[in-house]
Each structure stands twice: as structure tokens, then as C-alpha cells.
Amino acid sequence: MRITFLGTGSAMPTGSRFQSGIVVEEDGRRVLVDCGSGVLHRLQQSGVGYENISTVLLTHHHVDHVSDLMPLLKARWLAGEEHLEVVGPTGTKRLLDGLLSVHDYLDGKIDLQVREITPDEEFDVAGFSVEGFETRHSMDCLAYKFEDEFTFSGDSEAFSGLANFADGSAVLVHDCSFPDEVDVSNHPTPSQLGEALSGTDIGRVYLTHLYPHTDGKHEAMLKSVAAEYDGDVGFAEDLLSVEI
Ligand SMILES: [Zn+2]
Ligand SMILES: [Zn+2]
């Protein structure tokens, strides 16, 4: 399995990190998880290409995770691609209906399949076996585990339920939006993340969903995580590709 980070930023721009997006690939199967602003551009830079993304899996519906959905749909239509499947939590159908009612010239241009999933459900997406888990965020959001190997937290506070869900994964990509000195809810600080991960067995943890507040604080953030968690932890970067 290969994962490629397209966007490791958040709702506030850092100047170097685009909004949320990760490509998961294995044996010709491919799914894009989240589709925030800049992801369409990164798809080109990564060499994956928007023509090769026919399935998008959404963690939730905040704008930094969905804002490139219409640009992706339009680019695929212009390239002569005929299909796009969007899978996500409850409300995904309403989201797509709403977007297409605003951008009504795109409605019906390609065959759009929308599928909603419920928390704690096991389902297939683009040939991958995926498990969902409800996170702690300001909006309904699902973390996903692919083939028991790769877990993506989506947006979430750190808590033991999510850490247990990820336990045993080769790679966990976890929201770590802010450094410790920022008082925050709905996202974790590094100390909180370290505490939640304590006692779990995970091959490598990548920190993502980084706000500009984290610039220049990486070393301190890693130390904070390491105070409670002794596993391998690093920062995700846009266009970093990892073989699992
Ligand atoms: Zn977000
Ligand atoms: Zn969010």
C-alpha cells in the first residue's frame, strides 16, 4: 500500500501546505481521502493525476476537506472521464446536491454516485476494505482504517477510543493542528495526542492538519508527543509518499 499526502494543512493557509487530501493506492486500486483546496493541483504534481481519481472518500464536510470536489468533477468532465464516486458520512448526498444546485451547469455532466456510510461500519471503497470510527470534532466526522494497515484520524481531538481504533496500524496519520500553547477544542495538541497514543503499538505516526501556529514549533511538538508516547512520530509534508 502507498499513501501520498496531497494536503497537510488546514483551514488557515501556511503558504506551503494545501488543505486536506491523501491518496491511498494498492495494486491498481486508488482512493482519494478528502478533497480540500489545492488538492486538485497537488494531484497533478504528485503524478497521480485527476484522471486517475474516480473515488473520493470524505471524513467530514468542513470546507477545508471538500472545497476541491467541484473543481475535480469539472476537470474530470473536461478530460472526458465519465464517472466519479463520492463516499462519506451522513449528509454527503445533501452536500453534493447543494453544490450541484449552485453550480448547476455541472449537474449531469458526469455519472456521479454518492454513497453515505454510518459510523463503526465496515465497507468497501474502490476495492479497499475500510472501517469507520466516529471522531470528536465540531461536526460529525469519521476516521478510517484501510485493510488494518493505515489509519487516518480525519479531524479529531485525541482520545483513547480513536487511539485504540488505530492500534496495530503500520501507519497512523493524525490531526495535530496546534502546538501546546494554543488553547483548543475539536483538535488535539501534541501533549494530548501523546497521552492518547500511550500504550499503543503503531509503526509510524504522521502529524497533519497543521495550522500556521505550528510553524517553527515542530521540534517542541515532537517532544511533547514523546513525553507520553515512545513510538516513531514525524510530520507529514505535502507530496510526501510513503510505502506501507
Ligand atoms: Zn479540517
Ligand atoms: Zn473539520
Side-chain angles (χ1 to χ4, degrees):
M1 186 182 292
R2 171 172 288 279
I3 64 164
T4 303
F5 295 99
L6 300 181
T8 59
S10 61
M12 291 168 72
T14 66
S16 60
R17 297 175 184 275
F18 287 162
Q19 293 181 350
S20 187
I22 300 175
V23 177
V24 182
E25 298 173 286
E26 187 172 37
D27 299 332
R29 295 168 289 162
R30 192 175 294 109
V31 58
L32 170 63
V33 187
D34 283 344
C35 193
S37 172
V39 163
L40 184 63
H41 192 73
R42 288 281 194 244
L43 274 172
Q44 283 316 95
Q45 290 178 318
S46 68
V48 174
Y50 60 88
E51 304 96 325
N52 296 315
I53 296 296
S54 55
T55 308
V56 182
L57 177 62
L58 301 175
T59 58
H60 66 306
H61 301 143
H62 274 153
V63 74
D64 52 314
H65 300 254
V66 305
S67 54
D68 262 6
L69 275 177
M70 286 299 102
L72 173 65
L73 185 148
K74 178 163 185 176
R76 286 181 60 76
W77 165 49
L78 293 175
E81 300 293 337
E82 292 172 355
H83 180 77
L84 184 66
E85 182 184 36
V86 180
V87 184
T90 304
T92 298
K93 179 141 182 39
R94 196 169 68 92
L95 172 77
L96 270 297
D97 285 348
L99 288 169
L100 285 170
S101 76
V102 174
H103 306 287
D104 59 352
Y105 76 103
L106 293 173
D107 197 4
K109 289 294 191 290
I110 68 173
D111 172 32
L112 178 67
Q113 304 288 328
V114 181
R115 182 155 52 109
E116 295 189 347
I117 47 176
T118 49
D120 306 320
E121 190 181 337
E122 281 189 51
F123 57 97
D124 271 10
V125 64
F128 290 95
S129 168
V130 183
E131 208 177 326
F133 187 85
E134 195 166 10
T135 78
R136 290 184 186 166
H137 192 44
S138 51
M139 172 188 277
D140 285 351
C141 178
L142 296 177
Y144 293 120
K145 185 161 60 184
F146 293 77
E147 316 270 354
D148 290 326
E149 286 186 344
F150 165 55
T151 303
F152 177 39
S153 70
D155 283 9
S156 183
E157 294 182 1
F159 62 105
S160 57
L162 181 50
N164 291 338
F165 175 69
D167 196 5
S169 298
V171 169
L172 165 65
V173 175
H174 204 294
D175 180 349
C176 197
S177 289
F178 296 99
D180 276 330
E181 55 269 34
V182 177
D183 185 22
V184 63
S185 55
N186 305 312
H187 298 284
T189 61
S191 293
Q192 293 162 347
L193 182 57
E195 201 182 319
L197 292 178
S198 166
T200 60
D201 180 15
I202 294 165
R204 180 150 226 245
V205 178
Y206 288 95
L207 310 181
T208 192
H209 203 267
L210 302 165
Y211 273 79
H213 310 61
T214 62
D215 282 351
K217 305 277 173 62
H218 288 194
E219 212 170 306
M221 289 174 72
L222 290 175
K223 259 189 202 153
S224 292
V225 177
E228 295 279 346
Y229 175 66
D230 61 5
D232 186 9
V233 182
F235 277 79
E237 302 292 340
D238 286 24
L239 296 175
L240 172 67
S241 198
V242 178
E243 192 76 43
I244 298 179

